[in-house]
Amino acid sequence: MSLIRKFAYTVFSIAILLNIYIYTYPSITPNICSWEYQKPITNPSSNLLDPLKKIPYLGDLIDQYIAPTEYKKPTIEDIKMLAFGDPQIKGNWPSTPYIKRLDTFGNDYYLGHIYKVMKKRLQPNYVAVLGDLFSSQWIGDSEFFNRTRRYVTRLYDQPDEHREYALNYMNTHDQVDWMKYLEETKAKKLNELEFGYNDVYDWNTPNYTKKFDNEPLFLNVTGNHDVGYSGDATWQHMTRYVQLFGKDNFWIEYNAGTPHAYRIVVLNSLLLEGPALQPEFIDYTWEFLYQLFERKFKGSTILLTHVPFYKEEGLCVDGPYIDYYKENAREPYKIGKLRSQNHLSHDVSQRVLNLIFNDEPGIILTGHDHEGCETYYNKNSTGQYWTASKTKDTNDVSIKEVTVRAMMGEYGGNSGLMTGHFNVGKQEWEFDFKLCPFIIQHVWWVTKVVSIISTLLLSTVYLFGL
Ligand SMILES: *[C@@H]1O[C@H](CO)[C@@H](O)[C@H](O)[C@H]1NC(C)=O
Ligand SMILES: *[C@@H]1O[C@H](CO)[C@@H](O)[C@H](O)[C@H]1NC(C)=O
């Protein structure tokens, strides 16, 4: 065999191995990359392959591709939510060097790869992106549209009818008509604002019932880079977000009135405290929370929001921090306004937790700090104050907050798996959270480059009979 042919075969084998790796990475750590609470049906006369399933990695591949394990059907269907923290996609400026452009382009497909692999493996009912879809609140509408286009086509691939509205909107608008949205919104009294939904399974069907295509319900959450902190957020920011990603504050109640009721609450945590550039946004968010409280909902709450709740220094990587625009701010009208925050303030955290959880159970998923963290909010014995702690307080109301580690390549390309399981004995929902990491983006890049080189080499070898 010629040297070049040997070389081509070697490169080809490496390409195959790398591709197997990137398409099957969850099988290396199946315990953290599978839903919780699944009980296999134990069938003595079952598959010959069953003993092989105990082998690490290979066992999970057999399970995925050859002989899937059958699981007991739970009395009430589990809640299966894939949660992603801070994808933060960047954009290009006329001055952006080509190598950075290439990096940004590849990054979209790297994130899209994670989504495709996890969606295929797990078939979630919900996909939640916990804010900071994009990396900057300082972009114009055209760039916002361009990133949204990438978001709906490259990052989170979905059937055409699911992205038709967004793509059509962007094709027919050069910019958003924020004056119209402002006028429409201001024409309403606060209590006429609507935030609630019931039993939504598909945003694209007239009454939100599930379509046959079995797509997960997509939930978007505002981040500081999408709409700005309250010192930045303008009507323009809010209009384009609402037009393309839906309401910033809403709840969806499921199975209301039954013992297995639960609800998903999406909260715009950027617009809870000020001083804000547009103080009316703060009123809208609190109006949402008051209406939510008035529901007196009996059941569990899954709260999705961007900024984590207040906690003391040392519990997570980010400690408490709030900053305001100073005298030297570039835009003088922002002086004194809220510029940045790591957590919600102590007082606001207390009020929000009381309004949302009100002694009912649940779980909180947030983003923002990139590193990830798990904390419990325990309500103290007098039932007045919530305190953050690393441990669950068993005597009292205790809500777990998961700050989901970022999806960005630098943090390892994480997917969060949140499973909700209705415990029939206890008559309550139980929640579990796991983080399934991929690997730094360079490995994905190497795989793509080696695959291309290998194809070129092999075609050369065969074409020229080397
Ligand atoms: C958005 O994309 C369009 C089409 O590729 C391009 O003409 C436009 O300049 C882009 N916008 C920005 C702000 O780069
Ligand atoms: C959230 O974004 C996704 C992806 O763009 C979209 O399909 C979905 O309809 C959005 N959700 C809402 C409520 O608009």
Side-chain angles (χ1 to χ4, degrees):
M1 202 190 311
S2 72
L3 205 60
I4 178 132
R5 182 164 285 222
K6 268 190 197 149
F7 182 64
Y9 287 165
T10 312
V11 175
F12 179 67
S13 321
I14 296 172
I16 295 286
L17 288 177
L18 282 169
N19 275 291
I20 292 178
Y21 167 70
I22 70 165
Y23 283 97
T24 63
Y25 75 87
S27 297
I28 299 171
T29 49
N31 52 328
I32 50 172
C33 298
S34 309
W35 303 114
E36 191 58 36
Y37 306 112
Q38 304 202 96
K39 299 220 166 51
I41 296 175
T42 37
N43 182 351
S45 64
S46 64
N47 209 297
L48 276 173
L49 293 168
D50 280 357
L52 296 178
K53 288 190 186 172
K54 300 213 162 58
I55 305 170
Y57 183 58
L58 194 69
D60 192 72
L61 289 182
I62 293 172
D63 191 47
Q64 289 295 316
Y65 299 102
I66 303 169
T69 305
E70 280 186 59
Y71 293 101
K72 284 187 196 139
K73 208 173 145 40
T75 324
I76 306 293
E77 209 193 322
D78 288 350
I79 303 167
K80 296 174 176 173
M81 182 182 283
L82 254 187
F84 296 105
D86 304 72
Q88 273 190 224
I89 57 171
K90 300 192 176 83
N92 299 319
W93 306 110
S95 62
T96 308
Y98 278 99
I99 189 78
K100 273 222 78 223
R101 286 173 194 243
L102 185 65
D103 184 44
T104 302
F105 174 82
N107 188 54
D108 287 355
Y109 290 98
Y110 163 83
L111 298 175
H113 175 80
I114 296 170
Y115 180 61
K116 273 196 202 126
V117 168
M118 294 307 282
K119 185 176 155 204
K120 181 156 185 288
R121 175 184 174 90
L122 295 166
Q123 296 170 3
N125 335 110
Y126 298 100
V127 175
V129 184
L130 300 160
D132 283 0
L133 324 177
F134 307 155
S135 72
S136 171
Q137 66 269 48
W138 318 114
I139 57 178
D141 289 350
S142 165
E143 179 60 22
F144 191 90
F145 289 179
N146 288 359
R147 291 192 204 185
T148 305
R149 229 173 252 124
R150 289 159 53 196
Y151 185 87
V152 301
T153 55
R154 296 179 185 170
L155 271 72
Y156 301 105
D157 191 29
Q158 44 196 315
D160 283 335
E161 65 265 32
H162 286 233
R163 55 187 167 213
E164 190 180 285
Y165 161 79
L167 291 175
N168 184 44
Y169 183 91
M170 295 183 285
N171 289 339
T172 50
H173 292 71
D174 291 328
Q175 55 190 55
V176 291
D177 188 352
W178 59 265
M179 272 305 273
K180 179 155 169 266
Y181 180 64
L182 179 155
E183 279 160 12
E184 280 168 7
T185 313
K186 287 201 167 174
K188 290 184 189 143
K189 294 204 193 71
L190 273 182
N191 63 9
E192 289 169 357
L193 296 172
E194 283 177 32
F195 305 102
Y197 299 99
N198 279 310
D199 301 300
V200 176
Y201 296 98
D202 185 338
W203 295 118
N204 302 279
T205 53
N207 37 21
Y208 303 132
T209 48
K210 189 109 193 136
K211 278 242 287 283
F212 61 89
D213 61 12
N214 239 23
E215 275 288 305
L217 185 77
F218 213 104
L219 304 161
N220 312 299
V221 180
T222 48
N224 50 292
H225 286 311
D226 309 314
V227 298
Y229 291 101
S230 72
D232 306 315
T234 59
W235 279 96
Q236 182 194 7
H237 282 116
M238 293 316 295
T239 308
R240 65 197 188 188
Y241 182 88
V242 169
Q243 294 295 341
L244 291 165
F245 295 105
K247 289 182 198 287
D248 58 329
N249 287 307
F250 62 92
W251 70 75
I252 311 172
E253 295 177 357
Y254 291 90
N255 317 321
T258 69
H260 54 276
Y262 70 97
R263 66 179 177 183
I264 292 174
V265 173
V266 171
L267 170 68
N268 182 353
S269 43
L270 286 319
L271 295 173
L272 280 166
E273 51 193 300
L277 195 59
Q278 301 288 345
E280 60 272 37
F281 293 153
I282 309 287
D283 299 339
Y284 301 157
T285 310
W286 286 99
E287 173 63 23
F288 162 69
L289 288 170
Y290 298 142
Q291 287 192 23
L292 182 90
F293 178 75
E294 285 304 320
R295 305 287 302 165
K296 303 267 183 281
F297 185 75
K298 289 268 165 278
S300 283
T301 296
I302 302 162
L303 171 63
L304 309 176
T305 195
H306 185 64
V307 181
F309 286 86
Y310 178 86
K311 53 185 72 63
E312 282 165 23
E313 191 77 51
L315 283 172
C316 297
V317 173
D318 278 355
Y321 169 79
I322 297 198
D323 189 28
Y324 303 94
Y325 280 105
K326 308 226 168 47
E327 296 298 330
N328 58 0
R330 205 155 15 126
E331 294 111 331
Y333 57 88
K334 288 192 181 172
I335 294 169
K337 309 259 185 288
L338 186 84
R339 181 174 172 268
S340 169
Q341 61 189 142
N342 277 355
H343 301 152
L344 297 175
S345 68
H346 180 263
D347 179 51
V348 164
S349 300
Q350 299 293 328
R351 287 167 65 200
V352 173
L353 288 168
N354 279 330
L355 286 168
I356 296 182
F357 291 100
N358 191 26
D359 295 345
E360 293 281 331
I363 185 167
I364 306 170
L365 303 184
T366 70
H368 199 44
D369 95 340
H370 300 178
E371 299 284 347
C373 191
E374 294 193 11
T375 321
Y376 289 92
Y377 283 86
N378 299 312
K379 213 169 179 187
N380 75 353
S381 49
T382 60
Q384 274 182 18
Y385 291 105
W386 299 83
T387 20
S389 160
K390 274 283 160 213
T391 49
K392 186 180 163 81
D393 190 336
T394 42
N395 302 321
D396 259 313
V397 187
S398 181
I399 306 282
K400 183 172 176 173
E401 178 198 61
V402 180
T403 301
V404 179
R405 192 172 162 81
M407 191 189 192
M408 284 181 272
E410 301 96 289
Y411 295 88
N414 300 286
S415 310
L417 279 62
M418 200 282 298
T419 324
H421 175 75
F422 190 70
N423 183 324
V424 179
K426 291 191 188 155
Q427 288 286 293
E428 66 180 30
W429 286 98
E430 294 171 344
F431 295 102
D432 175 83
F433 183 85
K434 298 190 248 204
L435 197 68
C436 171
F438 179 30
I439 199 162
I440 191 159
Q441 70 270 32
H442 305 108
V443 176
W444 179 89
W445 267 114
V446 169
T447 309
K448 296 294 150 182
V449 173
V450 173
S451 305
I452 294 169
I453 296 178
S454 156
T455 315
L456 291 177
L457 271 174
L458 280 184
S459 2
T460 317
V461 164
Y462 283 104
L463 269 174
F464 298 102
L466 298 171

